[in-house]
Amino acid sequence: MALLAVIAWGSGVYGEQDVLGRPLSNGPLSLPYQRPAPHCRTFSSPLVEKVIEDLTSRMKDKDLARIFENAFPNTLDTTVRWHDGKSAKSKRHKIGNDDDGHWDGAQSFIVTGDINAEWLRDSTNQLAQYQSLAKKDKSLERLILGAINTQAEFVIESPYCNAFQPPPPSGIPPVSNGQEDSVHPAYEPTRVFECKYEIDSLANFLALGNQFYKSTGSKEFMHKRWYLAINTLLEVMDEQAKPTFDPQTGKFQGNEYLFRRRTQAGTETLNLGGMGNPLNGGTGLIRSAFRPSDDATILGYFIPGNAMMATELKQAAEMLKAVGKSEIAKQLQTRGESIESGIWEHGVVTHKRYGQVFAFEVDGYGSSILMDDANLPSLLALPVLGFIKKEDKVYQNTRKMILEQAGNPYFLEGQAFGGIGGPHVGLQHPWPLSRLVQAMTSDDDDEISDALKAVRSSSRLGLVHESIHVDRVTEYTRMLSLLHSAR
């Protein structure tokens, strides 16, 4: 069963005729129409409109059809803050007197929606459902190409950072995140919105290019700036593979990345002077200071993030080998295989009730965290990421563990809604995203149907929410368009 699903935060820009949400859907929920008026949309694609019309006309569930109609185009409707589809030969975005290719070619700034900043992870996922259409729609192809080029510039300049300000050529002024952060390496706040180092941010940079090449066959993004971003990514991996103590002398050797925030929330900063808890060496794993939820890791070897990185490195290696870049392809393949081996050696633990399962986080010393979080990448989403087949025994054990309260402290249930949540929004707000991933990783028709019904019934405003209160579907955090492509 194919599900369409991506995360995109709506910007709240709606036309006058849409304020009342008319026309309502013809289903029992009477869901409102939530698209901006055409003249208020930030990007448009006739092909996307055709997909919406073709699919919704064939859907029997008119409430689910309305959610798709609202959510599928939401990234284009509300979050393309700046786009220039120019060719690579254009130089009009040159900054200063450098002739190194800064901001050359198509550029796209995709904001996370309710915040005027771009997260690497979010923008990759916001564009994912359009990748398969890009070959047939030149405007979509240029939009995604621009997003790859823009992400490359972000990675080159501040590879440890997760969220970025508008690019200088856009002319859009930067905004403050209102936080008091002390970060090493230092960054320029007019270029960076937030600098939490998350391994999946870099994995999503790889994923954006991998998906684009697979869908279009285009090599236009493989220019010197993209290769420089790849090399920068590899340097970060080298730095974050180092243990806390020198394996030869046993002496403390610190870490290249430190993060401290003035806050009353322990999940918003790192302990031990901004370094986080000690990690052992020789694991093959890569440290991640923060999770995709932007919460701090407890044990720095975050397994879902490492799994995504291993998968994207190997896919990028295949892509580069196909275009004749065998040397760098071999580097990426080797690194991906090393991380994958580390996951199987250090990230699989034996649970007395569930048997062998994937841990959420480990430290290489034998300690592990057993849980899952709704944000992607997650343990539940390992087959969606392409890391493992959903029939795998260890995955099935893990899936059983994290989809019940006895095994996952963040599996939350109540009278109105249930699913996986996370520490980011507390202990009473599971995420509809987790129910969609549950459906995407199941072959059971009843389980899939129950998950979709739960998401549909909780989406009373015609868009899917970030999280829902377990006892009251009218109490939610943020309104999202949650629609992500997986087949």
Side-chain angles (χ1 to χ4, degrees), residues 10 16 43 59 86 89 131 156-157 197 243 268 280 302 317 340 409 458 478:
E16 183 177 347
F43 194 91
M59 293 178 70
K86 66 188 183 307
K89 294 181 180 180
Q131 290 274 15
I156 292 167
E157 182 168 336
Y197 162 59
E268 286 293 314
N280 206 356
F302 173 58
E340 183 176 11
S458 66
R478 306 171 96 182

Side-chain angles (χ1 to χ4, degrees), residues 43 80-88 90-95 101-110 118 127 139-154 156 166-170 220-221 223 225-226:
F43 194 91
V80 183
R81 192 66 75 241
W82 174 66
H83 170 62
D84 191 330
K86 66 188 183 307
S87 68
S90 174
K91 299 292 184 181
R92 65 178 181 273
H93 285 166
K94 190 63 61 184
I95 304 299
H102 273 68
W103 305 108
D104 283 353
Q107 302 290 332
S108 303
F109 182 61
I110 312 297
E118 176 176 325
L127 294 170
S139 65
L140 281 179
E141 181 181 345
R142 302 306 296 178
L143 178 70
I144 299 172
L145 173 64
I148 299 171
N149 290 340
T150 299
Q151 283 199 8
E153 295 298 332
F154 291 154
I156 292 167
S170 71
E220 190 172 343
F221 67 95
H223 46 68
R225 298 296 289 175
W226 184 79

Side-chain angles (χ1 to χ4, degrees), residues 6 123-132 208 211 484-485:
V6 118
S123 56
T124 291
N125 286 288
Q126 285 167 257
L127 294 170
Q129 73 267 32
Y130 311 123
Q131 290 274 15
S132 63
L208 187 61
Q211 294 167 10
H484 183 67
S485 69

Side-chain angles (χ1 to χ4, degrees), residues 378-393:
S378 64
L379 292 178
L380 184 61
L382 289 179
V384 179
L385 301 174
F387 178 75
I388 200 170
K389 299 292 185 183
K390 60 186 175 183
E391 297 81 12
D392 181 88
K393 179 63 175 175

Side-chain angles (χ1 to χ4, degrees), residues 164-217:
F164 295 85
Q165 303 278 14
S170 71
I172 302 172
V175 295
S176 171
N177 69 7
Q179 303 292 343
E180 296 181 44
D181 296 342
S182 175
V183 183
H184 184 274
Y187 61 87
E188 171 51 56
T190 62
R191 303 290 187 91
V192 170
F193 181 80
E194 184 176 65
C195 198
K196 290 181 173 179
Y197 162 59
E198 302 161 1
I199 188 174
D200 69 283
S201 292
L202 295 175
N204 272 287
F205 164 64
L206 289 176
L208 187 61
N210 289 339
Q211 294 167 10
F212 185 70
Y213 177 79
K214 183 178 180 180
S215 298
T216 67

Side-chain angles (χ1 to χ4, degrees), residues 182 257-260 269-276 287 289:
S182 175
Y257 175 81
L258 301 173
F259 183 97
R260 287 174 291 180
T269 191
L270 297 177
N271 62 347
L272 294 176
M275 186 188 67
R287 174 198 187 216

Side-chain angles (χ1 to χ4, degrees), residues 284-466:
L285 299 171
I286 309 298
R287 174 198 187 216
S288 186
F290 289 87
R291 301 169 178 172
S293 61
D294 296 338
D295 296 318
T297 54
I298 299 172
L299 305 179
Y301 292 139
F302 173 58
I303 296 303
N306 272 267
M308 183 179 185
M309 179 60 82
T311 302
E312 297 303 335
L313 283 169
K314 292 193 295 181
Q315 290 183 1
E318 292 179 11
M319 173 181 68
L320 290 167
K321 185 177 180 181
V323 300
K325 299 292 184 179
S326 57
E327 185 174 341
I328 189 169
K330 185 176 181 180
Q331 289 185 52
L332 299 189
Q333 181 71 27
T334 300
R335 289 169 184 264
E337 291 174 352
S338 176
I339 296 172
E340 183 176 11
S341 295
I343 292 171
W344 285 105
E345 182 176 353
H346 299 278
V348 177
V349 300
T350 300
H351 192 287
K352 65 180 181 180
R353 178 172 180 174
Y354 301 98
Q356 284 199 312
V357 297
F358 288 107
F360 190 66
E361 294 170 358
V362 299
D363 62 1
Y365 289 105
S367 298
S368 61
I369 302 292
L370 298 181
M371 58 166 280
D372 202 17
D373 188 295
N375 283 271
L376 300 184
S378 64
L379 292 178
L380 184 61
L382 289 179
V384 179
L385 301 174
F387 178 75
I388 200 170
K389 299 292 185 183
K390 60 186 175 183
E391 297 81 12
D392 181 88
K393 179 63 175 175
V394 176
Y395 173 73
Q396 284 298 318
N397 291 345
T398 305
R399 190 176 190 275
K400 182 179 180 180
M401 177 183 72
I402 60 182
L403 286 177
E404 57 186 38
Q405 288 183 320
N408 181 8
Y410 292 101
F411 185 84
L412 313 173
E413 285 186 301
Q415 296 177 353
F417 191 76
I420 299 173
H424 197 65
V425 290
L427 298 174
Q428 292 184 295
H429 286 81
W431 288 47
L433 172 60
S434 72
R435 299 304 301 271
L436 293 177
V437 177
Q438 181 181 356
M440 294 161 71
T441 56
S442 176
D443 289 324
D444 185 303
D445 288 345
D446 291 337
E447 183 181 17
I448 294 169
S449 179
D450 287 347
L452 291 178
K453 287 178 181 177
V455 173
R456 178 196 61 191
S457 298
S458 66
S459 303
R460 300 297 176 86
L461 297 180
L463 288 168
V464 181
H465 299 295
E466 177 188 56

